[in-house]
């Protein structure tokens, strides 16, 4: 947390997770101002999922409460851009991990991305948002939570729609409250 002269708190938060989970969409709906994004036409296997993909980062800013500003940095989902993950994570205070409930094995996705972001998670806070959850398997929420407990990373898991501003604001709020505690 950074305090300015007006004692405004600035939080740097990372949004990570697999291709198509909704990271770019989430930052777009959350941001109060125009976002910076680096969408490029998808190649290879990604184009079966969607037309464009993030190749470097997304950036947006949102006001949470009167004196709290959240700076959101979205990562590329693709492994081949994983050098950006570490760069973006520097000095971050928290991680929002978005997991797509419709992917083949969401628990394996959680494991994989959590392991990659463990250095950040260890020194900060984590929340998990399960997107594309409209027809989510009844036990998926429990399996994701159980996995977090099994690796000793207790964190809130919530089903969210990345296109829904209020749901996403709630997820950010739950993360920031963990940091501020
Ligand atoms: N049905 C449904 N669609 C969603 C949900 N969340 C996101 N989407 C859609 O899924 C797509 C996700 O695309 P992006 O936001 O580009 O995904 P991303 O995580 O940034 O992917 P990469 O940048 O390629 O890693 C968008 O078309 C969203 O509108 C959800 O909860 N339900
Ligand atoms: Mg993206």
């Amino acid at each position: 947390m950074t305090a300015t002269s007006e004692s405004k708190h600035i939080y740097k938060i990372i949004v990570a997770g697999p291709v198509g989970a909704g990271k770019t969409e989430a930052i777009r709906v959350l941001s109060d101002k125009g976002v910076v994004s680096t969408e490029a036409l998808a190649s290879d296997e990604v184009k079966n999922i969607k037309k464009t993909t993030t190749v470097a980062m997304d950036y947006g800013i949102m006001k949470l409460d009167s004196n709290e500003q959240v700076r959101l940095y979205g990562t590329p989902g693709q492994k081949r851009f994983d050098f950006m993950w570490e760069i973006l994570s520097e000095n971050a205070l928290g991680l929002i991990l978005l997991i797509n409930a419709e992917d083949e094995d969401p628990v394996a996705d959680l494991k994989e991305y959590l392991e990659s972001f463990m250095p950040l998670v260890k020194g900060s806070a984590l929340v998990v948002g399960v997107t594309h959850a409209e027809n989510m398997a009844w036990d998926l929420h429990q399996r994701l939570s159980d996995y977090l407990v099994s690796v000793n990373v207790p964190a809130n898991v919530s089903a969210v729609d990345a296109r829904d501003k209020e749901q996403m604001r709630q997820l950010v709020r739950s993360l920031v409250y963990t940091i501020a505690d």
Side-chain angles (χ1 to χ4, degrees):
M1 191 176 359
T2 315
T4 66
S5 50
E6 306 100 23
S7 78
K8 186 180 188 178
H9 294 139
I10 298 173
Y11 298 89
K12 177 181 177 183
I13 302 294
I14 306 299
V15 184
V19 168
K23 305 177 292 297
T24 298
E25 181 74 24
I27 291 181
R28 208 177 284 148
V29 299
L30 282 169
S31 192
D32 299 326
K33 296 181 184 153
V35 295
V36 175
S37 60
T38 59
E39 292 294 288
L41 282 179
S43 55
D44 45 78
E45 74 277 15
V46 174
K47 68 171 177 252
N48 300 324
I49 305 174
K50 58 197 177 74
K51 282 202 186 99
T52 66
T53 189
T54 304
V55 292
M57 64 180 284
D58 301 303
Y59 176 67
I61 298 186
M62 63 180 275
K63 195 166 141 182
L64 199 56
D65 284 312
S66 56
N67 63 344
E68 289 176 333
Q69 186 190 70
V70 179
R71 297 185 177 170
L72 297 155
Y73 292 78
T75 57
Q78 286 185 76
K79 276 268 151 62
R80 64 193 173 115
F81 300 121
D82 65 0
F83 57 91
M84 286 303 299
W85 299 357
E86 208 181 317
I87 295 170
L88 294 172
S89 296
E90 204 166 306
N91 297 322
L93 289 170
L95 175 67
I96 296 176
L97 209 45
L98 294 183
I99 297 295
N100 185 341
E102 287 182 354
D103 275 348
E104 203 178 314
D105 189 346
V107 179
D109 291 340
L110 173 63
K111 180 175 191 298
E112 197 175 316
Y113 283 82
L114 190 62
E115 279 169 5
S116 295
F117 283 91
M118 201 48 104
L120 167 60
V121 170
K122 283 290 177 205
S124 66
L126 168 74
V127 290
V128 177
V130 188
T131 57
H132 300 258
E134 295 92 357
N135 303 304
M136 186 162 115
W138 67 272
D139 64 333
L140 180 58
H141 185 280
Q142 192 60 44
R143 288 193 291 125
L144 293 167
S145 298
D146 288 350
Y147 175 73
L148 291 171
V149 170
S150 77
V151 292
N152 214 9
V153 181
N156 195 294
V157 179
S158 315
V160 287
D161 189 323
R163 301 165 298 179
D164 186 305
K165 185 173 180 143
E166 255 327 295
Q167 289 183 26
M168 292 312 300
R169 278 184 69 88
Q170 201 47 47
L171 195 66
V172 173
R173 210 173 265 130
S174 68
L175 179 65
V176 168
Y177 288 165
T178 315
I179 297 166
D181 268 355

